[in-house]
Amino acid sequence: GEDVEQSLFLSVREGDSSVINCTYTDSSSTYLYWYKQEPGAGLQLLTYIFSNMDMKQDQRLTVLLNKKDKHLSLRIADTQTGDSAIYFCAEKIGGKLIFGQGTELSVKP
Amino acid sequence: DVKVTQSSRYLVKRTGEKVFLECVQDMDHENMFWYRQDPGLGLRLIYFSYDVKMKEKGDIPEGYSVSREKKERFSLILESASTNQTSMYLCASRLGTNYGYTFGSGTRLTVV
């Protein structure tokens, strides 16, 4: 079946690294995504990784994919207060995106 | 930039009312989607459409219907609103299956 799980909350101090984790159950996913939702806004695509990759780096963002364990993580280096948001992981299965519950990241000064 | 516009940011409706949520995209995207977002549940797919006049049920279609008479517009209809349909509704579109999604800003619907 299709299921994507995330923890609901994460709190970090400004300047620290944040690591947001996600597990999924369907091994047929082709792409995995991270979206960011700021308060009162829709979702913006942050980054994505193709399922045959292990890692992708994009400036402060590092995505790690462990396909064997069906585990995806998003690391944000030097976290800033502007990174406070809800982060959703999603897997693409066929033509559809299946979303996790979202992790609310709170960055304290 | 592609824009997905949802006509209302906030809506308050009474139980039993028929409610229309409108979504318009301006980049000739083929596919459009309606999700609802609830705390702790993430985004759940209600309905989607891969082309004009086509519609497919998502994971939670009960109590909803959709209309896609024109390519740019995808409407979500609550035939008889109920309090358990109080939620944030998000519309998204994409050019095709191998392309990313663009989301609207959402409509927060409260049914009283």
Side-chain angles (χ1 to χ4, degrees):
Chain A
E2 308 159 346
D3 201 14
V4 180
E5 298 277 336
Q6 299 177 241
S7 53
L8 295 183
F9 301 100
L10 176 66
S11 180
V12 300
R13 293 218 168 270
E14 197 173 15
D16 287 352
S17 291
S18 310
V19 179
I20 303 171
N21 293 301
C22 174
T23 57
Y24 59 97
T25 54
D26 197 317
S27 55
S28 65
S29 47
T30 51
Y31 286 91
L32 294 120
Y33 299 83
W34 285 103
Y35 283 84
K36 177 183 181 183
Q37 185 183 36
E38 293 179 350
L43 275 67
Q44 312 163 249
L45 179 64
L46 266 185
T47 188
Y48 65 92
I49 188 166
F50 189 47
S51 58
N52 69 356
M53 294 169 67
D54 298 324
M55 187 181 95
K56 181 177 179 182
Q57 186 140 9
D58 184 1
Q59 300 181 339
R60 291 190 297 125
L61 305 178
T62 304
V63 179
L64 293 178
L65 176 60
N66 181 328
K67 216 174 170 190
K68 176 174 161 287
D69 295 340
K70 299 192 187 76
H71 182 266
L72 180 73
S73 66
L74 173 70
R75 180 175 177 270
I76 305 173
D78 187 24
T79 314
Q80 303 297 307
T81 52
D83 295 323
S84 292
I86 302 176
Y87 291 80
F88 290 92
C89 69
E91 59 171 342
K92 184 177 180 184
I93 300 170
K96 294 194 304 179
L97 278 190
I98 310 298
F99 287 87
Q101 305 95 318
T103 299
E104 184 174 346
L105 175 65
S106 171
V107 183
K108 301 191 185 320
Chain B
D1 270 359
V2 179
K3 214 165 167 199
V4 177
T5 304
Q6 293 184 232
S7 52
S8 307
R9 289 298 297 270
Y10 299 95
L11 267 181
V12 180
K13 296 289 179 183
R14 293 197 180 278
T15 302
E17 273 193 78
K18 190 167 185 175
V19 181
F20 292 85
L21 302 184
E22 304 289 348
C23 176
V24 177
Q25 47 91 5
D26 64 0
M27 280 297 289
D28 207 33
H29 280 184
E30 299 285 333
N31 307 159
M32 296 187 76
F33 304 82
W34 274 108
Y35 289 88
R36 65 177 279 178
Q37 181 184 2
D38 299 289
L41 297 177
L43 274 71
R44 292 179 292 166
L45 182 63
I46 305 171
Y47 266 96
F48 60 103
S49 167
Y50 281 168
D51 202 350
V52 178
K53 302 220 189 262
M54 285 182 62
K55 58 186 178 185
E56 300 271 352
K57 290 180 182 178
D59 299 318
I60 51 161
E62 295 78 20
Y64 304 94
S65 62
V66 289
S67 170
R68 190 139 180 232
E69 294 296 316
K70 292 186 179 181
K71 196 174 189 181
E72 66 269 20
R73 184 180 295 269
F74 192 35
S75 305
L76 180 70
I77 303 154
L78 286 66
E79 295 289 342
S80 175
S82 63
T83 52
N84 64 12
Q85 292 178 309
T86 291
S87 188
M88 169 73 97
Y89 290 87
L90 290 166
C91 175
S93 73
R94 68 179 180 194
L95 185 59
T97 311
N98 293 324
Y99 293 83
Y101 287 39
T102 301
F103 280 85
S105 302
T107 296
R108 187 166 289 285
L109 172 68
T110 302
V111 183
V112 297

